[in-house]
Structure formats: C-alpha cells, structure tokens
Amino acid sequence: GKHMRNPALPIVPITHRNSVESVTSDLRAQLRTKRRLVINPETSAALKKWDVVTVVALAFVCVVTPFEVGFLTASTIGPLFFANRFIDAIFVTDMCLQFFIMYPARVQFQRALFVPTHRMIIRKYLQSWFLVDLLAVVPYDVVSMLAAGARTQLRALKALRLLRLLKLGSLARAMRILRRWELDVGISHHRMTLVRQALTVTIASHWVTCALGIVANLQGNACTTAAEVAEGDCAESWIAGFA
C-alpha cells in the first residue's frame, strides 16, 4: 500500500554512510530547530499565563477607554496616562508573540491541528489581524496632548479624541484567546455562546452610556434653561426644548 509521508520532513536517503539511527537523530534535530521559533498553544504554559494578562488588559481597555473619551475633558500626565502606556506595552508584546504562535488549521477528531511553519504563521497574521492590532496600539492620547500644545483647532482635537476609540480594536485579541481556551479546555459551544452573549450585553450597556457622554462632548455645553437658550452661549438640545 501507499505510505503516508509528512511533507514538512525532508527525505534523507539511507546509504552505507548513514544508519537508521543517524537518520532518526538528524530528523529529530531538524524538528527541534524548525519548531524552536514557534509556540504551541497546547503545550506552552507561559502562553496560557500570558493570555490571562492580556485578558486583564483587554478588560481595562473595554471599560476605561470609552469612559475617557466620553467623560474626561482632556488628557493629562497622571496615573491613568501611565496605566495606558503599560497597557500599550502589553499589546505591543502580544503583537510580537503573534508572529510565533501556531494557529489551528482545522479540527479533526475533536483535536486541533496547528500549523508549525514559521513562515505560514507570519503570513497568516499579516493577512488577518495585524492591521487591527497596529491601529489599536497607537497612543492617540499622546498625539492629542501634542496637538493641544500646538494649539490645534477644536474640531481636530475632537476628532483625535474619537480616534482613541480605535483602541477598542484590541478586543479582537479576545476572540483569538477564547478560541484557544475553547480548544484547550474543551468548553462546549453552547456554554461559550452563553458567556459571549452575557459579556456582550454587559459591555453594550456600558458603551451606550459612554456614547451619550461622547455626544454631549461633541455638542458642547448644553443649554439647561430657556434663559441660556436666549443668550445663545450654549448648544440647544432637544432636552432644552422641554425646559
């Protein structure tokens, strides 16, 4: 019958100069060298710990970033500024790791088959989530502070504040991490769907509140009384019409 051959392994001819033992040792050495630059999510304990750190950073971004854009008037150098830089450092490190983490090609017999080729891992990441992750690590608050120091127009500053919402693109990392956990822990699809829906409802309620704050900041100082509307020093909203 036909023998199955792994295309990733080189064909080494057995001659009188090399025995079976030497060929086997050579193949093992080549496999160790080939997989030295990649990380297997199934066997790497360090990667599992790093995923926990990344999830904590994603929770911070998911809650704090919309609040900053919606309710904080200006970016200043303080504890929150340094916390954001620490989160950015985590995401930049995670971006570098993505060039080495094996990705699942398919699931066969309830087991994920991972691609161990480093070149294919790099190509897969560049063609999928690289641009999203890159836009998410740009320090838009630093750019906003520099623009404010240069006396940029108010509309440009407001646009820079809205660009900070692109950091929410880092939540795409959560999809990759949940997929790895689902394959590793063996969580059923129904339970994973329930967890995702619960998180979606919780996050959506927070984001809607922050969106109202963003609208108020873009609108300016809203009028609260009919006298303020008459003076014209504030922005008239539909709520002021009932005053």
Side-chain angles (χ1 to χ4, degrees):
K2 296 182 178 179
H3 298 280
M4 298 298 294
R5 181 175 64 86
N6 191 343
L9 300 179
I11 300 176
V12 181
I14 300 178
T15 63
H16 63 280
R17 295 183 179 180
N18 49 13
S19 61
V20 177
E21 291 79 7
S22 63
V23 173
T24 304
S25 61
D26 290 341
L27 291 178
R28 289 178 179 176
Q30 291 179 13
L31 282 176
R32 285 194 297 267
T33 303
K34 188 179 291 295
R35 296 191 178 186
R36 190 177 300 170
L37 298 177
V38 298
I39 303 174
N40 191 339
E42 289 185 323
T43 60
S44 177
L47 180 61
K48 296 176 182 178
K49 296 178 181 179
W50 176 256
D51 285 343
V52 175
V53 175
T54 307
V55 168
V56 174
L58 290 173
F60 178 88
V61 171
C62 182
V63 175
V64 176
T65 299
F67 177 81
E68 285 184 293
V69 179
F71 299 102
L72 298 184
T73 55
S75 300
T76 57
I77 298 179
L80 189 57
F81 175 85
F82 292 105
N84 284 323
R85 301 291 72 76
F86 180 72
I87 297 298
D88 290 340
I90 292 177
F91 289 157
V92 171
T93 304
D94 187 72
M95 282 187 62
C96 297
L97 288 177
Q98 297 305 316
F99 289 103
F100 303 94
I101 299 177
M102 299 165 57
Y103 66 92
R106 63 182 183 276
V107 178
Q108 186 176 8
F109 302 111
Q110 297 182 351
R111 182 177 178 84
L113 302 178
F114 291 88
V115 176
T117 308
H118 193 198
R119 183 180 67 256
M120 295 181 64
I121 294 173
I122 295 176
R123 183 186 304 173
K124 175 70 174 180
Y125 182 53
L126 291 176
Q127 293 177 351
S128 56
W129 296 106
F130 174 75
L131 182 59
V132 177
D133 292 343
L134 182 62
L135 293 177
V137 298
V138 176
Y140 296 101
D141 51 349
V142 177
V143 178
S144 179
M145 293 173 60
L146 295 176
R151 296 182 180 180
T152 309
Q153 293 183 357
L154 183 60
R155 291 183 178 180
L157 291 176
K158 291 182 178 180
L160 287 175
R161 287 179 59 85
L162 291 179
L163 285 178
R164 295 171 63 181
L165 293 176
L166 292 177
K167 294 182 70 67
L168 297 178
S170 60
L171 296 179
R173 291 179 172 87
M175 300 173 57
R176 301 194 292 263
I177 294 175
L178 288 177
R179 186 180 182 186
R180 288 202 294 265
W181 286 356
E182 185 177 2
L183 295 174
D184 183 36
V185 182
I187 302 176
S188 64
H189 178 71
H190 297 289
R191 291 185 179 180
M192 184 61 67
T193 302
L194 181 62
V195 171
R196 289 175 180 173
Q197 289 179 351
L199 291 176
T200 301
V201 172
T202 304
I203 295 172
S205 61
H206 174 65
W207 285 2
V208 168
T209 305
C210 295
L212 295 176
I214 294 173
V215 172
N217 285 333
L218 293 177
Q219 186 179 19
N221 296 326
C223 301
T224 57
T225 62
E228 292 180 352
V229 174
E231 292 176 359
D233 294 334
C234 56
E236 184 177 359
S237 63
W238 63 271
I239 299 178
F242 296 96

